Amino acid sequence: ILTIRSEDVNDMMNNPNHEARMAGSVNAPGLSKDPMSAVEGVFNLFVEDPDNVDTKLMKYGMKMLTDEGKEYYFEGHKIIRRHSVFNMWGDTSTLYISIYEGKNSSGKIIGQGILNIKPADFIKQITTIKAVNAENIGEAIKAESAFSAYFSKTLFYEYGGIFSPDEYYDKSKQRARRTL
């Protein structure tokens, strides 16, 4: 159970790192009989993949601490490729993970795998999007709407094929195209 929290939703949407904090608890009986604390987590939404053209990543990284004092590091990513709408669910619901001994990804890999989210869990997640630091309900609705629009437009751009106009997505790419 993780909470992803951005203190500034506008910065998260506009900064190329699209970064937020992540904390919560993780059940992994193979690592600890009790839930582990997830701390110092970082989440990056729709960041450019430097190794693959027309690919974005949703990245997850966090320390996991056991009650016995053991530390593990969790690293994961979802691969968002610019292709058919029929690939959208698989891409956005598949998380490729690695677990390391110690406090970061320089430790020994002790596990790798793939986590998939079920549609019912995805629907539950959507209902948890909340603007908690808004000054009033109007500002909260505005922030939640802006984030939802950003998320939806990004997916539309990546998976909409010929129907996804570039101007919905990245103004810097538009400027570059106009100057060529």
Side-chain angles (χ1 to χ4, degrees):
I1 300 171
L2 297 172
T3 298
I4 296 174
R5 183 180 181 117
S6 171
E7 296 299 323
D8 184 340
V9 71
N10 290 319
D11 183 64
M12 182 186 182
M13 293 183 301
N14 295 308
N15 185 313
N17 292 325
H18 305 291
E19 189 173 293
R21 299 286 158 236
M22 192 169 52
S25 64
V26 176
N27 288 322
L31 299 177
S32 174
K33 63 180 175 60
D34 297 313
M36 295 178 284
S37 297
V39 299
E40 298 179 28
V42 175
F43 171 71
N44 302 94
L45 177 65
F46 301 136
V47 292
E48 297 289 335
D49 181 347
D51 299 323
N52 297 294
V53 173
D54 288 335
T55 303
K56 296 197 178 310
L57 301 171
M58 296 171 71
K59 295 170 44 176
Y60 303 74
M62 63 186 169
K63 285 185 191 178
M64 299 184 302
L65 309 174
T66 70
D67 289 343
E68 296 82 31
K70 291 191 100 178
E71 284 185 306
Y72 299 100
Y73 188 76
F74 176 101
E75 189 173 69
H77 65 276
K78 294 179 182 177
I79 303 169
I80 310 300
R81 291 185 190 93
R82 192 163 198 208
H83 51 54
S84 169
V85 69
F86 297 108
N87 300 102
M88 183 169 60
W89 176 253
D91 289 354
T92 58
S93 65
T94 303
L95 181 64
Y96 302 92
I97 67 163
S98 296
I99 309 265
Y100 302 85
E101 285 183 337
K103 58 184 171 184
N104 57 43
S105 62
S106 67
K108 176 184 170 190
I109 293 177
I110 59 169
Q112 291 184 304
I114 300 171
L115 299 176
N116 295 102
I117 188 170
K118 296 176 184 172
D121 292 328
F122 178 72
I123 291 168
K124 183 178 177 182
Q125 282 181 345
I126 289 173
T127 66
T128 66
I129 295 172
K130 303 283 183 240
V132 295
N133 290 331
E135 292 182 21
N136 56 53
I137 193 157
E139 290 297 316
I141 291 170
K142 184 177 173 182
E144 292 165 13
S145 296
F147 177 79
S148 296
Y150 167 74
F151 192 88
S152 299
K153 285 179 182 179
T154 300
L155 290 180
F156 181 66
Y157 177 78
E158 297 301 330
Y159 297 100
I162 62 170
F163 300 106
S164 62
D166 289 340
E167 63 265 16
Y168 282 144
Y169 188 68
D170 190 335
K171 304 234 186 273
S172 65
K173 286 182 183 174
Q174 286 179 344
R175 285 191 292 275
R177 271 192 225 102
R178 277 188 244 136
T179 60
L180 294 177

